[in-house]
Amino acid sequence: MRRDDPGVRGTMVSPLRAVRHLVEAEKLGAVITVVDGPDTGTKGVLDRADGLVAGAIPGDIVADVGSDAGSLMDREQSRTLTYGDREVYIETVAPQPQLIIFGAVHIAQELCKMAHGLGFRVIVNDARPFFTTEERFPEAERVIVGWPEEVADRLQVDARTYVVLLSHDARFEDPVLPLVLPSPAKYIGVMGSRRTHRRRVERLRAAGFDESQIARIHGPVGLDIGAEQPGEVAVSILAEMIQVRYGSGSGESLVGRPGRIHLQRTEDEGDL
């Protein structure tokens, strides 16, 4: 496109209506707003799958904005970036993530409560009806009793799904991992010691899973914060989930860390 082109436009749908559709359809997208420079106030809405669906983006930067917005959408990040003499705010609109917890143990209760507070839709599954109750997991969207292979058709695992396996029972673990490893799940965390995980890896290799699939497992699950109590272990698991969700963060203390802390920054402050 020529630099003097007025811009690339989406459909006649208003940006507000397009954003509402993204939210209602649980689709990944972004709102693009020129906040400084020429065309200030110009606004467009991107659908991650369908491209520009409403509003407009200045034609001479549309390719760069689209590329950067794609990277930010995939990491659920929002930033103000510089394109020549324009400042453009890219705000990601992401659907609600889903957490599936296998194993209705004490850690699961704490994890369910905390994840719900951060906007996750939580599903809890265990074969033991005494533990797997709505009373013990009031924040869960669904509490499902049954062995994983029995309830697999009731679980939808997609790229917005986080899976945490807290049961030490092999009867639970053995069917769960073959179910989720080939899936597009965003995160797979499994409880157990390093020795337990080595044995797990050996079993998976023997079962024919390749190294890239096995490497998706976060085992032992969670970040090392010295957690002891169930709630503390839940914090360490949730912290690792958040790190994976945004694709950033070292898991180290911020004390003494050089540079800026927050993600909101301009292009010249670091790469996407």
Side-chain angles (χ1 to χ4, degrees):
M1 281 194 155
R2 302 190 313 273
R3 185 174 177 81
D4 59 350
D5 279 343
V8 174
R9 295 187 174 275
T11 67
M12 296 301 291
V13 174
S14 70
L16 181 60
R17 186 172 179 181
V19 171
R20 185 179 297 118
H21 173 72
L22 289 175
V23 173
E24 292 175 350
E26 296 190 334
K27 302 187 72 177
L28 182 62
V31 180
I32 312 299
T33 307
V34 180
V35 295
D36 193 23
D39 314 297
T40 294
T42 300
K43 190 181 295 289
V45 178
L46 292 176
D47 182 309
R48 185 68 178 97
D50 300 327
L52 186 65
V53 293
I57 298 174
D60 57 311
I61 63 171
V62 65
D64 290 338
V65 170
S67 176
D68 291 340
S71 297
L72 289 171
M73 283 186 276
D74 290 342
R75 291 183 286 173
E76 298 185 40
Q77 296 177 356
S78 301
R79 296 204 187 157
T80 300
L81 302 179
T82 302
Y83 301 92
D85 50 1
R86 294 184 183 91
E87 297 287 324
V88 178
Y89 180 49
I90 303 173
E91 181 181 11
T92 293
V93 179
Q96 189 177 14
Q98 172 182 246
L99 168 63
I100 303 177
I101 303 174
F102 292 98
V105 296
H106 292 310
I107 295 171
Q109 289 180 281
E110 299 293 338
L111 182 58
C112 177
K113 183 189 307 180
M114 295 178 192
H116 172 76
L118 291 182
F120 285 80
R121 290 196 305 256
V122 184
I123 298 173
V124 179
N125 169 234
D126 198 306
R128 300 169 296 178
F130 181 79
F131 293 100
T132 318
T133 65
E134 294 181 359
E135 289 73 23
R136 294 189 72 230
F137 296 94
E139 300 85 5
E141 182 178 86
R142 285 190 290 159
V143 178
I144 303 174
V145 180
W147 294 103
E149 62 269 32
E150 298 172 345
V151 303
D153 60 347
R154 299 168 62 185
L155 303 174
Q156 184 176 7
V157 179
D158 56 26
R160 301 285 302 148
T161 301
Y162 297 69
V163 176
V164 176
L165 178 53
L166 298 177
S167 174
H168 291 284
D169 193 331
R171 292 177 298 172
F172 239 83
E173 181 173 317
D174 289 349
V176 167
L177 289 177
L179 173 68
V180 299
L181 284 179
S183 77
K186 182 83 170 181
Y187 173 91
I188 302 170
V190 184
M191 183 68 73
S193 66
R194 288 181 174 82
R195 180 166 60 179
T196 297
H197 187 62
R198 286 195 295 269
R199 292 173 178 170
R200 177 183 300 128
V201 168
E202 291 172 0
R203 292 198 307 272
L204 291 170
R205 284 173 179 159
F209 288 93
D210 62 42
E211 295 302 318
S212 62
Q213 290 177 312
I214 295 172
R216 299 183 63 204
I217 302 173
H218 293 262
V221 66
L223 298 184
D224 182 6
I225 60 172
E228 296 287 346
Q229 301 300 318
E232 297 167 347
V233 176
V235 168
S236 77
I237 295 171
L238 194 54
E240 187 174 58
M241 288 168 52
I242 293 170
Q243 187 180 50
V244 170
R245 181 178 187 180
Y246 298 116
S248 63
S250 65
E252 300 176 354
S253 175
L254 293 174
V255 175
R257 175 182 170 180
R260 295 186 59 150
I261 296 173
H262 300 293
L263 293 175
Q264 187 76 6
R265 59 187 185 182
T266 56
E267 186 179 40
D268 59 358
E269 289 173 322
D271 296 330
L272 284 177

